[in-house]
C-alpha cells in the first residue's frame, strides 16, 4: 500500500504504469528451439531419404513427389516441436504480415537466385564432376502437364514452406540475436550443408543468404517463402524444357 501525505494518487503528477509492449524485449526462439527443430528435421529427412531409396527408378516421379510432400511435412513438424517448447507464439517464429513491397522484392530475388544458380553451377562444374542429383526432378518435370503441375505443388510450394519454417522461422531467427553474420551467413551455411556436399550446397547457400536478409529486414517468413517458391518453380519449369 502506497501512502502519500501531499496528494492523492489521482492528483499526483507521478503516474504508475506497466511496461509497454514496445519497450519489452521481443520473444524469439533460442538454442532449445534451434536444436529441437534442426534435430527433428534431420532425423525426418534421413528417414524420408531411406524410404525413397526403396522406391525403384521406374517410379521416379512418385519418388520425387513423396520427397517434396515429406519435406514439407517434416519442416512443419519440426516447427511445431520448437513452438511447443517455450515461446508458443507463432508471430515470434516469423508468422506475421509484411508489406506488399517485401513480397515483390522476394519475387524479384527469386528470379535473381534462379539466374545466379547458372553462374554457380557453371563455375562448379569447371572443377568438379559429379552424378546428376536432380534427375528425378527432371524426369517428373518432363512427364507431361499433370506431372509438372503436381511437381510444382510438392517441390515448389510444400518444400519451400517446410524449409523456410525451419531455417528462417527458427534457426535464422534464433541466430539473429548474435548479429547479421550469425543470423544470415551462419544460418545459410547450415541450410546449404543440409542439402548435401554437392553443387546444391552452393545454390542453397545463395538462397539462404537472400532469404536470411529478408527475414532480418522484415521479421517475417513470407518474403523468404516467396523467394524460395519462385526459385524452385523457375528451376522446375526450366527442367521441363530440357
Amino acid at each position: 500500500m502506497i501512502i502519500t501525505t501531499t496528494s492523492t494518487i489521482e492528483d499526483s503528477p507521478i503516474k504508475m504504469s506497466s511496461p509497454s509492449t514496445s519497450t519489452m524485449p521481443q520473444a524469439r526462439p533460442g538454442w532449445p528451439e534451434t536444436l529441437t527443430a534442426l534435430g527433428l528435421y534431420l532425423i525426418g529427412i534421413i528417414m524420408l531419404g531411406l524410404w525413397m531409396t526403396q522406391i525403384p527408378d521406374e517410379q521416379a516421379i512418385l519418388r520425387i513427389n513423396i520427397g517434396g510432400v515429406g519435406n514439407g511435412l517434416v519442416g512443419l513438424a519440426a516447427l511445431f516441436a520448437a513452438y511447443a517448447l517455450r515461446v508458443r507464439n507463432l508471430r515470434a517464429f516469423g508468422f506475421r504480415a509484411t508489406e506488399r513491397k517485401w513480397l515483390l522484392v522476394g519475387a524479384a530475388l527469386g528470379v535473381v537466385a534462379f539466374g545466379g544458380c547458372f553462374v554457380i553451377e557453371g563455375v562448379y562444374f569447371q572443377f568438379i564432376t559429379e552424378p546428376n542429383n536432380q534427375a528425378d526432378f527432371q524426369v517428373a518435370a518432363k512427364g507431361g502437364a499433370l506431372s509438372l503441375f503436381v511437381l510444382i505443388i510438392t517441390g515448389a510450394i510444400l518444400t519451400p514452406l517446410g524449409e523456410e519454417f525451419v531455417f528462417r522461422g527458427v534457426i535464422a531467427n534464433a541466430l539473429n540475436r548474435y548479429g547479421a553474420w550469425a543470423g544470415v551467413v551462419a544460418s545459410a551455411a547450415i541450410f546449404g550443408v543440409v542439402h548435401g556436399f554437392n553443387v546444391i550446397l552452393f545454390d542453397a547457400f545463395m538462397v539462404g543468404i537472400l532469404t536470411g536478409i529478408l527475414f532480418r529486414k522484415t521479421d517475417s517468413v513470407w518474403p523468404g517463402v516467396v523467394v524460395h517458391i519462385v526459385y524452385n518453380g523457375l528451376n522446375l519449369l526450366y527442367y521441363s524444357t530440357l
Side-chain angles (χ1 to χ4, degrees):
M1 181 176 183
I2 299 174
I3 301 176
T4 174
T5 57
T6 58
S7 66
T8 66
I9 290 178
E10 288 79 4
D11 296 330
S12 172
I14 302 174
K15 303 288 186 182
M16 296 178 63
S17 62
S18 59
S20 68
T21 56
S22 62
T23 60
M24 295 177 68
Q26 180 182 357
R28 70 170 61 197
W31 283 109
E33 288 78 13
T34 297
L35 295 176
T36 296
L38 183 58
L40 287 178
Y41 182 82
L42 290 175
I43 291 170
I45 290 300
I46 290 170
M47 294 176 64
L48 178 63
L50 291 173
W51 180 25
M52 291 171 65
T53 61
Q54 305 303 308
I55 301 175
D57 291 343
E58 291 77 13
Q59 297 179 339
I61 294 177
L62 173 64
R63 181 169 62 196
I64 199 61
N65 283 309
I66 286 174
V69 173
N71 200 346
L73 293 177
V74 167
L76 187 63
L79 165 71
F80 277 103
Y83 164 88
L85 288 179
R86 301 182 305 171
V87 181
R88 298 183 186 176
N89 179 354
L90 284 177
R91 284 178 57 83
F93 290 88
F95 285 78
R96 60 182 75 214
T98 189
E99 296 178 65
R100 182 178 300 176
K101 69 176 183 179
W102 290 114
L103 301 178
L104 295 175
V105 169
L109 289 178
V111 176
V112 170
F114 174 65
C117 76
F118 287 93
V119 177
I120 290 171
E121 293 177 17
V123 173
Y124 181 91
F125 289 121
Q126 291 295 317
F127 301 97
I128 297 174
T129 300
E130 65 186 22
N132 180 8
N133 54 29
Q134 299 294 289
D136 283 0
F137 286 107
Q138 292 164 5
V139 169
K142 293 186 292 185
L146 179 59
S147 178
L148 177 60
F149 174 76
V150 173
L151 183 64
I152 287 174
I153 298 297
T154 61
I157 296 178
L158 296 181
T159 290
L161 286 171
E163 291 182 346
E164 290 304 311
F165 292 167
V166 172
F167 290 96
R168 255 55 67 183
V170 181
I171 296 173
N173 194 351
L175 293 178
N176 269 334
R177 71 182 69 219
Y178 304 110
W181 279 98
V184 177
V185 180
S187 69
I190 295 169
F191 184 56
V193 169
V194 165
H195 280 78
F197 292 94
N198 54 62
V199 67
I200 304 302
L201 184 156
F202 299 98
D203 292 339
F205 178 75
M206 170 189 63
V207 171
I209 291 287
L210 297 176
T211 54
I213 290 171
L214 282 179
F215 186 87
R216 191 170 173 84
K217 281 278 189 182
T218 65
D219 280 331
S220 172
V221 297
W222 301 120
V225 166
V226 172
V227 174
H228 209 148
I229 287 175
V230 170
Y231 171 78
N232 280 21
L234 289 176
N235 270 288
L236 297 178
L237 290 174
Y238 171 69
Y239 289 158
S240 72
T241 67
L242 296 178

